[in-house]
Structures are given as structure tokens and as C-alpha cells.
Amino acid sequence: EEFEKSLANAGVTRETILYLYETQYLYSDLQDKLYAEGGPLEVTDEAVQEYIDQHYGAENGSYSAKHILFKTVDDTNTALSEEEIAQKKEQAEQVLFQLRASENPQALFDELMVEYNEDTGEPEEGYTFGPGEMVDEFYDGTAALEEYEISDLVESPFGYHIIMRLPSEIPTVEETKEAYALELFST
């Protein structure tokens, strides 16, 4: 009875749910049969490694970075007042000055990131991204750095960033195999 109510509240029928489950099962089964060991499109470790070599690492435009963001927009992406933006820039410059004066800027970066970063969605280990996955200013700012180098202020539509480039994350064959098969299946 509760299940029927949930379906009705979601505007979905029992038949639709069954159809979706069946389609998902068939899709997964088809993918398994196509790409599994011995299948007509078997995903070999060699093929996955070639894919990794072509798509990951800085030489292929894939970077990892952390940043400290001083937002110049509110949660609806509306620009803050000129006075607030000036305060954000001054605050960012002060943090950058601390980093430049530090004997251990990498450790200090993490401390200041916890204290000042206004990017609430940033994973603790930072971002790994390729072309088009971040705003151009952030991508270009990261690409211009060496590993563990810290940028000057980088201004984007979201605010002022202080970026620290990290070593590029290169996944293992096992970590990539499923994503590689999905990409093959969808093309």
C-alpha cells in the first residue's frame, strides 16, 4: 500500500517501474556479454591502459589541483557589491602574502584552505579535471603551474582563486575498466 502511494506521489506507474528495472537489467546484461572476457568486444587490460595513456596526465590536459576560493558572487551567482568584492580581493591578497612568506607553503595552504575556502563542494584531495570541466580561468591557471606550485590570484566569474597544482591523478587499469567499457558502450 505504501509502495503504491509512493509511486502515485512520484507520478509513476507500477508498469513504468518494472519497465525501467527490466531495461536496466537488460542493458547491464548486454554490456557484460559484449565486454566481458571472451565477449566480442572484450575489454583488455592493454586497451584500458592505452585509453589511460591517451586521456590522463598533464601531457594530455588532465590536471589535479586544490584551491582557496574567495567568492565574489552569492549562492544565486549574483555579483556581490563592489565594496564586498574589494574586501574579498584584499582578503585573498593577504592569504597569498602569507603563503609566499611561508617556509612550508604546501602545509600552510591546507590550513588556510580549511579556514578560508568558500568552495563548499571541493573534495579534501582537490579536483581532477580535463579541458572544459572547469571554468577557463581555473583550467588555464592550473595548467600554467608546476606541481605543488601556488598561483597568484586567478580571477574567474566565481571570485578569486589561489590554486595549488597537484600531481596529476592517473587511475589504475582496474579503476578505469568499468568507465572505459561504459564509454565504449555509449559511443
Side-chain angles (χ1 to χ4, degrees):
E1 200 172 295
E2 287 298 315
F3 177 68
E4 295 296 333
K5 284 182 186 176
S6 288
L7 289 176
N9 286 339
V12 180
T13 65
R14 178 183 287 269
E15 291 76 25
T16 302
I17 290 293
L18 292 174
Y19 174 77
L20 291 172
Y21 282 137
E22 180 182 18
T23 304
Q24 181 61 38
Y25 172 78
L26 292 172
Y27 180 86
S28 295
D29 195 42
L30 176 61
Q31 182 179 339
D32 289 345
K33 285 181 175 35
L34 283 172
Y35 298 110
E37 188 174 331
L41 302 172
E42 179 180 349
V43 174
T44 64
D45 288 353
E46 293 79 21
V48 175
Q49 185 61 55
E50 185 177 324
Y51 174 81
I52 291 169
D53 293 345
Q54 291 173 355
H55 291 89
Y56 292 92
E59 62 278 357
N60 294 308
S62 177
Y63 298 99
S64 294
K66 295 180 180 187
H67 73 142
I68 303 170
L69 172 64
F70 299 85
K71 288 176 67 174
T72 57
V73 294
D74 64 18
D75 292 338
T76 64
N77 283 336
T78 302
L80 300 178
S81 71
E82 287 183 30
E83 182 180 313
E84 291 170 308
I85 290 172
Q87 289 172 350
K88 295 286 185 167
K89 185 174 185 180
E90 183 179 327
Q91 187 180 38
E93 288 170 341
Q94 289 172 358
V95 169
L96 185 59
F97 178 80
Q98 289 179 55
L99 288 165
R100 296 284 186 244
S102 174
E103 291 183 23
N104 188 352
Q106 292 172 17
L108 181 59
F109 190 95
D110 288 340
E111 291 175 30
L112 295 172
M113 190 173 142
V114 169
E115 186 174 346
Y116 292 102
N117 193 11
E118 295 179 309
D119 180 352
T120 57
E122 182 172 4
E124 191 175 307
E125 67 278 1
Y127 294 108
T128 296
F129 51 92
E133 294 178 21
M134 300 297 240
V135 292
D136 289 343
E137 296 86 351
F138 189 87
Y139 181 86
D140 294 342
T142 302
L145 300 171
E146 297 295 323
E147 288 183 3
Y148 296 110
E149 185 179 0
I150 297 172
S151 71
D152 290 328
L153 291 188
V154 173
E155 187 175 1
S156 81
F158 299 106
Y160 297 103
H161 307 258
I162 301 172
I163 303 168
M164 181 169 64
R165 181 171 156 197
L166 303 171
S168 293
E169 292 287 324
I170 306 204
T172 65
V173 168
E174 282 306 309
E175 292 170 332
T176 309
K177 198 173 265 190
E178 186 176 330
Y180 175 69
L182 281 171
E183 187 170 313
L184 286 175
F185 193 66
S186 64
T187 55

